[in-house]
């Protein structure tokens, strides 16, 4: 067991001084980049292939070149940090499960290592983001591969699973962030703050989020929060919210969804200037990194001389990948640190749902109730009662429907 506690020095600026320059790959609507920029970094280029996301980026990051397809980038422009929230389709539990190594889409992260290797000077920092399932899928071979790539490129690394709720947004969203550095100790950046998970306790009137598309084997139940928003390809099916106070069930608007990811409301509105933009907005929001999470990481990278204190123990060959680890040069350590680094109080879901939030449609509610009634799931009895009454009354009749 080792005790790691020391002061980071000289982490703030790029190795060449001045504001830290950031290149974003797989930018989407820019969650990762927006948080890092708010922390004081300057985005010098992004790489995004999707026309809707590119359109939003053009509006939100005017003057920042979009290098488009990462496969066509010979080398990234000179910068101190490359950030890549790479595609998760091959990693998500809901996905096809090929993983990073064999998956065509998640495997695109290879292109990041290739484009870095062609840079005259490699960036000081690399930041990757993806779903925590990477740690267990195929026995953790994906994260082992990522660690190996990072180390071969000459970096030390640290990763931590972080829940967006730690930063005050009522959105349960656990994501894996891996930070790597050529000369610094990334574990002293990522392993700061460890509040025991402060999940809110349900009171009589506490709104709860759930997936109305489920109901057989799970609900995605979240107290005073929504369950993780997902990228949806064709159909708009955001999680629903039960409001015990009014005994009803609503869906967040797209602007509510943006706010629940820490974006300014209307951030992706420019997408609707293109045909199909309405669905595309939901997809982008579901794909995005929560802005406050990347802001926190960015502030930790940019902040100089802060102390971090954590305990770690060597991770032996064959042991499972834990929720937080660090290493370099072939040595690996499991860190004893939780998923809630932030310091903000959990925001209440009520404050994020606008008055225009549409009611869950009768059809959706009836289908969900049918699945729930034939399952072994045990949501609060009041929830079931409200749902039965809601369906008996014809759902949110008279109001906007899903
Ligand atoms: C998980 S999302 C990234 C979300 C983003 N990090 C954010 O915070 O909003 C992955 C993105 O990679 C983009 N993408 C997929 N293939 C790409 C490629 N070959 N080149 C550039 N971007 C690509 C997708 O269009 C998608 O927007």
């Amino acid at each position: 067991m080792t005790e790691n506690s020391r002061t980071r020095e000289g982490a703030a600026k790029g190795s060449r001084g001045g504001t830290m320059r950031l290149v974003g790959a797989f930018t989407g609507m820019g969650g990762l980049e927006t948080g890092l920029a708010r922390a004081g970094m300057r985005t010098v280029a992004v790489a995004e292939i999707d026309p809707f996301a590119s359109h939003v980026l053009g509006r939100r990051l005017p003057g920042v070149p979009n290098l488009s397809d990462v496969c066509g980038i010979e080398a990234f422009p000179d910068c101190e940090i490359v950030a890549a929230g790479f595609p998760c389709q091959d990693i998500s539990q809901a996905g096809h499960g090929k993983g990073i190594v064999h998956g065509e889409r998640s495997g695109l992260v290879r292109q990041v290592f290739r484009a870095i290797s062609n840079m005259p000077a490699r960036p000081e920092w690399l930041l990757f983001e993806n779903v925590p399932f990477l740690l267990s899928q195929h026995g953790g071979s994906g994260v082992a591969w990522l660690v190996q790539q990072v180390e071969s490129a000459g970096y030390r690394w640290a990763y931590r699973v972080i829940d967006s709720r730690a930063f005050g947004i009522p959105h349960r969203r656990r994501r894996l962030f891996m930070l790597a550095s050529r000369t610094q100790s990334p574990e002293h950046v990522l392993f700061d703050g460890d509040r025991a998970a402060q999940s809110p306790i349900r009171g009589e009137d506490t709104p709860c989020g759930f997936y109305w598309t489920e109901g057989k084997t799970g609900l995605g139940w979240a107290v005073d929060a929504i369950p993780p928003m997902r990228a949806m390809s064709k159909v708009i099916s955001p999680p629903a919210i039960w409001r015990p106070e009014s005994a009803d069930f609503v869906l967040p608007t797209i602007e509510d969804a943006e706010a629940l990811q820490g974006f300014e409301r209307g951030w992706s509105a420019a997408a609707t200037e293109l045909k199909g933009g309405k669905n595309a907005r939901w997809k982008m929001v579901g794909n995005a990194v929560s802005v406050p999470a990347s802001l926190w990481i960015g502030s930790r990278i940019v902040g100089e001389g802060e102390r971090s204190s954590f305990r770690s123990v060597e991770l032996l060959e064959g042991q499972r990948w834990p929720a937080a680890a660090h290493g370099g040069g072939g040595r690996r350590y499991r860190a004893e640190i939780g998923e809630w680094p932030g310091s903000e109080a959990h925001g209440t879901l009520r404050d994020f749902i606008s008055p225009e939030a549409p009611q869950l449609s009768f059809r959706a509610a009836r289908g969900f109730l049918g699945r729930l009634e034939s399952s072994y799931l045990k949501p609060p009895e009041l929830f079931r009662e409200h749902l039965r009454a809601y369906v008996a009354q014809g759902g949110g009749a008279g109001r906007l429907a899903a």
Side-chain angles (χ1 to χ4, degrees):
M1 181 85 69
T2 57
E3 183 75 30
N4 298 280
S5 177
R6 70 178 175 101
T7 302
R8 292 193 298 122
E9 284 168 9
K13 306 288 186 279
S15 48
R16 281 142 273 173
T19 305
M20 199 178 275
R21 291 164 302 170
L22 155 74
V23 170
F26 310 107
T27 306
M29 66 186 231
L32 205 43
E33 291 76 2
T34 303
L36 297 176
R38 281 190 198 163
M41 300 183 191
R42 184 164 62 87
T43 311
V44 293
V46 293
E48 174 54 56
I49 204 169
D50 177 73
F52 297 101
S54 300
H55 193 66
V56 171
L57 292 172
R59 196 62 56 79
R60 293 294 175 180
L61 302 177
V64 175
N66 181 354
L67 310 174
S68 192
D69 190 347
V70 289
C71 305
I73 302 171
E74 172 72 16
F76 289 128
D78 199 22
C79 64
E80 283 76 38
I81 178 165
V82 168
F86 57 100
C88 63
Q89 288 98 330
D90 299 304
I91 303 168
S92 304
Q93 269 154 307
H96 306 296
K98 286 189 182 163
I100 297 190
V101 184
H102 301 292
E104 267 172 39
R105 286 165 296 182
S106 299
L108 281 169
V109 68
R110 273 189 188 81
Q111 302 296 332
V112 172
F113 292 103
R114 184 193 48 75
I116 286 166
S117 69
N118 292 333
M119 292 170 74
R122 291 182 184 200
E124 171 62 41
W125 301 94
L126 305 177
L127 176 62
F128 298 99
E129 178 270 348
N130 217 295
V131 292
F133 190 51
L134 183 63
L135 298 174
S136 49
Q137 186 189 29
H138 306 315
S141 60
V143 78
W145 179 88
L146 196 56
V147 158
Q148 196 243 319
Q149 297 297 310
V150 162
E151 289 188 353
S152 312
Y155 290 80
R156 291 170 57 83
W157 55 272
Y159 74 74
R160 181 177 184 182
V161 175
I162 292 177
D163 189 329
S164 294
R165 289 179 298 172
F167 307 103
I169 52 174
H171 181 186
R172 188 182 67 223
R173 191 172 185 84
R174 300 172 62 246
R175 285 293 180 270
L176 176 75
F177 291 90
M178 180 183 282
L179 182 67
S181 172
R182 282 198 301 126
T183 63
Q184 306 281 325
S185 305
E187 62 273 26
H188 289 284
V189 177
L190 268 193
F191 297 165
D192 185 60
D194 189 12
R195 294 185 295 139
Q198 292 176 353
S199 305
I201 296 166
R202 195 174 71 80
E204 256 181 23
D205 294 335
T206 311
C208 296
F210 65 98
Y211 263 106
W212 59 271
T213 45
E214 299 185 11
K216 269 195 169 155
T217 53
L219 292 172
W221 192 252
V223 173
D224 205 7
I226 55 160
M229 264 190 289
R230 326 187 262 228
M232 290 144 285
S233 47
K234 292 200 179 96
V235 196
I236 299 176
S237 51
I241 296 150
W242 167 47
R243 301 190 296 192
E245 266 171 327
S246 41
D248 67 358
F249 300 85
V250 292
L251 299 171
T253 65
I254 183 65
E255 289 79 15
D256 297 342
E258 287 169 332
L260 285 160
Q261 282 281 51
F263 286 92
E264 171 188 311
R265 285 173 177 271
W267 177 267
S268 62
T272 53
E273 292 162 12
L274 308 181
K275 194 165 175 255
K278 199 174 157 208
N279 273 350
R281 282 181 82 183
W282 282 102
K283 190 171 170 193
M284 284 188 280
V285 173
N287 259 332
V289 171
S290 304
V291 175
S294 67
L295 167 60
W296 179 80
I297 295 171
S299 308
R300 293 286 306 157
I301 296 172
V302 167
E304 276 184 58
E306 291 159 37
R307 272 172 74 84
S308 61
S309 184
F310 59 93
R311 293 166 75 81
S312 60
V313 62
E314 186 148 16
L315 190 64
L316 304 175
E317 192 70 40
Q319 286 185 325
R320 284 159 59 161
W321 291 97
H326 66 100
R331 302 292 294 270
R332 297 163 179 182
Y333 301 87
R334 174 169 60 81
E336 294 180 356
I337 192 140
E339 300 183 3
W340 288 57
S343 56
E344 282 179 53
H346 189 288
T348 171
L349 186 52
R350 230 178 252 119
D351 296 341
F352 282 74
I353 302 304
S354 50
E356 315 79 79
Q359 298 261 319
L360 185 65
S361 72
F362 168 66
R363 233 177 105 215
R366 188 184 52 184
F368 172 67
L369 178 63
R371 289 189 292 281
L372 187 65
E373 299 285 41
S374 59
S375 78
Y376 293 104
L377 298 172
K378 290 198 179 346
E381 203 40 49
L382 189 62
F383 172 79
R384 205 186 280 269
E385 276 172 29
H386 282 178
L387 186 62
R388 284 184 190 136
Y390 187 83
V391 170
Q393 287 158 18
R399 297 195 47 183
L400 294 167

